């Protein structure tokens, strides 16, 4: 694939990836609002317990196999039968363990009533093993339009099943069964869209290569999901399912920047970074690409996060109703984490594409080692809001420096990356101040949400659009062109200063 063809494929599929996430997250937002009006906070807490157990085990079953197939490029279909067999074996074993241990796991998280939901969610682990090959094929071949169709079909099935079951009084079980139905249909669609027919097989050398590459990735993914679910475990354990329901609502809203935009970038980033690596791109090109994609990711998450932070209370009250007001405190804090977290996903994706999976794993180890005691202290001092502050503190003080060190070992200097990110961060602070000024007005809360959101968006766009055009222009230029030092690449003197 030539550079121009790759550039076009990245741009087209980035558009599809972003559209996919925007449409699905907008639909999920509307569905979440409806369900919040129909279900009690404790139902969300019970489902969160089941989803937490499933999220941890699903990363064990993946074993980094999807990333392995994407990275293998043209040999992806040849290696798919071995990967399918490995995924089904891991998924089946994990599903059996989850089913058998459901009472113990639910009790350990402070919600014994979640046992049935945990057992239902165990079915999704087998489906995860089936989905790895077709999902990897679509990613590698930049066919995000077909991924969009598969995801949309699954979402429609989710809506069509969950609402009738909620109205029938099934509570948290309606969320679990609808998730299983949606994933089953999505897997079928992935197979149809990719032209892949599940056919197990096994090749020992391929399996060894897959595990050699995938185990560190799987371990890092497992730790990553453990990181993002340890707070659910501790909040449920020490504060109970109802408080967990409020916290889950806050965390989900705070994750809008990641869910709506950044995941679309990541879906295209892995195959793009992998092809850049196979093309033998030299360090200056890789530095420019990493810094620009990090800045672009941050540029998309900052305005959403800024609006969430300054409008947390009105958003909760207007959108979800007064009984969800306790979620406003943790939401305002978790909005900061929602801004930062997509950067970690992007940097982990780059390091994975470069084959530096052990570095990703080490960052995750440092992250969880710092987060667990921070969460215990935060929950003790300030409940669910304290848990949010624990995430922010660890992300800024531990995870960001750890990733910058890992990138530096791959010749990506921190200085240019941080300079690139300073513009969206600085303009985001100004936009948040404008939104906060609107939030203090003695208006109806509907007008505060609308006016504040518009104020944040307009002020951020006015300050950032010239910079954004420069980032996109710098991403489009070829590696043979001279660097734009005022936009991205440092001068030699700046590089020497960074080294010092």
């Amino acid at each position: 694939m030539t550079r121009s063809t790759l550039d076009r494929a990245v741009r087209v599929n980035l558009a599809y990836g972003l559209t996919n996430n925007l449409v699905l997250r907008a639909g999920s937002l509307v569905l979440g609002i409806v369900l919040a009006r129909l279900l009690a906070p404790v139902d969300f807490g019970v489902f969160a317990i089941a989803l937490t157990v499933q999220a941890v085990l699903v990363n064990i079953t993946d074993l980094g196999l999807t990333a392995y197939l994407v990275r293998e490029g043209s040999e992806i279909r040849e290696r798919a039968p071995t990967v399918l067999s490995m995924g089904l074996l891991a998924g089946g074993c994990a599903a059996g363990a989850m089913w058998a241990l459901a009472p113990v796991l639910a009790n350990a998280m402070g919600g014994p009533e979640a046992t049935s939901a945990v057992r239902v969610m165990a079915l999704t682990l087998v489906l995860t093993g089936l989905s790895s090959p077709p999902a990897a094929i679509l990613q590698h071949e930049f066919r995000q339009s077909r991924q969009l169709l598969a995801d949309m079909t699954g979402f429609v099935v989710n809506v069509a099943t969950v609402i009738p079951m909620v109205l029938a009084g099934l509570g948290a079980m309606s969320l679990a069964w609808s998730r299983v139905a949606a994933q089953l249909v999505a897997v079928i669609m992935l197979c149809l869209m990719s032209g892949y027919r599940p056919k197990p097989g096994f090749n020992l050398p391929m399996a060894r290569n897959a595990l050699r590459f995938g185990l560190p990735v799987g371990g890092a993914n497992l730790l990553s999901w453990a990181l993002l679910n340890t707070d659910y475990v501790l909040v449920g354990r020490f504060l109970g399912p109802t408080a967990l329901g409020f916290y889950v609502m806050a965390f989900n809203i705070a994750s809008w920047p990641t869910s709506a935009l950044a995941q679309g970038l990541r879906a295209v980033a892995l195959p793009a970074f992998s092809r850049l690596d196979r093309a033998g791109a030299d360090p200056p090109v890789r530095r420019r690409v990493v810094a620009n994609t990090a800045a672009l990711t941050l540029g998309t998450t900052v305005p959403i996060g800024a609006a969430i932070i300054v409008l947390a209370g009105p958003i909760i009250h207007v959108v979800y109703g007064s009984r969800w007001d306790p979620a406003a405190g943790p939401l305002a804090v978790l909005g900061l984490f929602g801004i930062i977290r997509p950067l970690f996903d992007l940097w982990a994706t780059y390091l994975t594409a470069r084959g530096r999976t052990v570095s990703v794993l080490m960052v995750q180890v440092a992250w969880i080692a710092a987060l667990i005691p921070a969460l215990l202290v935060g929950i003790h001092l300030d409940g669910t809001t304290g848990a949010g502050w624990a995430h922010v503190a660890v992300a800024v003080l531990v995870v960001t420096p750890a990733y910058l060190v890992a990138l530096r070992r791959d010749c990506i200097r921190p200085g240019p990356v941080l300079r690139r990110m300073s513009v969206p961060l600085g303009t985001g602070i100004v936009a948040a101040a404008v939104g906060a000024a609107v939030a203090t007005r003695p208006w109806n809360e509907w007008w505060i949400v609308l006016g504040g959101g518009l104020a944040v968006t307009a002020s951020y766009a006015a300050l950032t659009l010239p910079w954004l055009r420069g980032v996109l222009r710098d991403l489009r230029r070829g590696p043979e062109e001279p660097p734009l030092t005022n936009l991205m690449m440092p001068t030699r003197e700046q590089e020497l200063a960074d080294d010092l």
Side-chain angles (χ1 to χ4, degrees):
M1 180 178 287
T2 65
R3 177 183 173 82
S4 60
T5 304
L6 176 59
D7 287 346
R8 182 178 182 278
V10 169
R11 288 196 299 272
V12 171
N13 285 274
L14 178 59
Y16 274 118
L18 292 176
T19 301
N20 186 2
N21 282 281
L22 285 171
V23 172
L24 288 177
R25 297 307 166 181
S28 297
L29 171 62
V30 174
L31 179 61
I33 293 171
V34 173
L35 294 177
R37 299 281 180 170
L38 296 175
L39 294 171
V42 68
D43 291 320
F44 278 84
V46 168
F47 178 67
I49 292 173
L51 189 61
T52 298
V53 176
Q54 184 260 5
V56 173
L57 292 177
V58 79
N59 284 279
I60 297 176
T61 64
D62 181 71
L63 297 173
L65 297 177
T66 303
Y68 167 74
L69 284 178
V70 173
R71 192 171 186 269
E72 288 306 306
S74 59
E75 299 180 359
I76 188 170
R77 292 183 183 270
E78 178 185 348
R79 298 174 184 269
T82 299
V83 168
L84 176 64
S85 298
M86 296 170 67
L88 287 176
L89 177 61
C93 293
M98 185 172 172
W99 181 279
L101 297 175
V104 176
L105 296 171
N107 275 306
M109 295 183 63
E113 60 270 42
T115 298
S116 297
V118 171
R119 284 178 166 163
V120 170
M121 291 293 287
L123 299 174
T124 64
L125 300 178
V126 179
L127 297 174
T128 298
L130 283 169
S131 66
S132 290
I137 290 170
L138 292 180
Q139 281 192 47
H140 169 70
E141 296 178 357
F142 288 107
R143 294 156 76 180
Q144 288 295 314
S145 59
R146 300 190 177 190
Q147 179 75 55
L148 170 62
L149 181 59
D151 291 343
M152 287 298 298
T153 304
F155 177 74
V156 171
V157 172
N158 186 26
V159 174
T161 53
V162 70
I163 292 180
M165 286 191 286
V166 169
L167 294 176
L170 294 181
M173 290 295 291
S174 61
L175 300 173
W177 277 115
S178 64
R179 182 66 64 95
V180 173
Q183 187 167 344
L184 174 61
V185 172
V187 169
I188 294 172
M189 290 296 296
L190 284 174
C191 292
L192 293 175
M193 294 296 98
S194 63
Y196 171 77
R197 299 296 179 267
K199 184 179 180 181
F202 192 77
N203 180 289
L204 184 57
M206 288 183 184
R208 288 173 177 168
N209 289 335
L211 291 176
R212 189 178 300 114
F213 173 86
L215 281 178
V217 175
N221 288 340
L222 174 61
L223 287 174
S224 178
W225 275 101
L227 286 164
L228 297 177
N229 289 275
T230 297
D231 51 353
Y232 288 3
V233 174
L234 296 177
V235 169
R237 180 68 177 173
F238 293 109
L239 302 179
T242 300
L244 178 59
F246 292 128
Y247 183 80
V248 168
M249 178 64 72
F251 200 97
N252 288 342
I253 298 173
S255 298
W256 285 350
T258 303
S259 303
L261 298 172
Q263 285 185 0
L265 292 171
R266 188 183 181 190
V268 179
L270 179 57
F273 285 150
S274 296
R275 295 189 184 199
L276 190 69
D277 180 55
R278 289 196 297 273
D282 55 15
V285 173
R286 289 189 281 107
R287 292 172 197 157
R288 175 164 57 86
V289 171
V290 169
N292 278 318
T293 51
L296 186 60
T297 299
L298 198 62
T300 59
T301 61
V302 164
I304 304 174
I308 289 172
I309 292 167
V310 299
L311 301 172
I315 287 173
I316 290 291
H317 190 82
V318 167
V319 177
Y320 295 99
S322 59
R323 66 175 173 174
W324 290 95
D325 283 350
L331 174 59
V333 178
L334 287 167
L336 289 169
F337 182 62
I339 292 173
I340 304 169
R341 177 184 158 196
L343 284 175
F344 304 154
D345 292 339
L346 183 77
W347 290 338
T349 301
Y350 169 79
L351 292 169
T352 299
R354 290 283 292 161
R356 297 182 177 272
T357 54
V358 175
S359 295
V360 178
L361 178 59
M362 290 300 100
V363 173
Q364 304 297 332
V365 170
W367 191 348
I368 197 167
L371 183 61
I372 291 175
L375 283 169
L376 291 171
V377 172
I379 291 171
H380 176 73
L381 293 178
D382 198 15
T384 54
T385 302
W389 279 117
H391 272 297
V392 174
V394 172
V396 173
L397 300 177
V398 177
V399 186
T400 299
Y403 267 119
L404 292 177
V405 169
L407 290 171
R408 186 178 181 84
R409 290 174 179 168
D410 196 54
C411 300
I412 307 298
R413 296 183 177 90
V417 177
L418 294 174
R419 283 197 296 273
R420 256 313 196 198
M421 297 190 309
S422 63
V423 173
L425 287 174
T427 53
I429 293 173
V430 175
V434 174
V438 173
T440 60
R441 305 298 297 174
W443 297 342
N444 178 278
E445 286 187 322
W446 278 98
W447 289 110
I448 290 176
V449 172
L450 294 174
L454 180 61
V456 170
T457 303
S459 56
Y460 182 82
L463 294 170
T464 310
L465 283 179
W467 166 86
L468 180 60
R469 285 196 294 268
V471 171
L472 294 174
R473 182 169 63 248
D474 204 24
L475 275 171
R476 286 194 299 267
R477 71 181 179 85
E480 71 283 352
E481 298 178 31
L484 303 177
T485 56
N486 63 319
L487 291 176
M488 164 57 196
M489 293 298 294
T491 63
R492 182 58 187 156
E493 291 75 16
Q494 288 171 323
E495 291 181 349
L496 290 173
D498 289 337
D499 289 339
L500 297 176

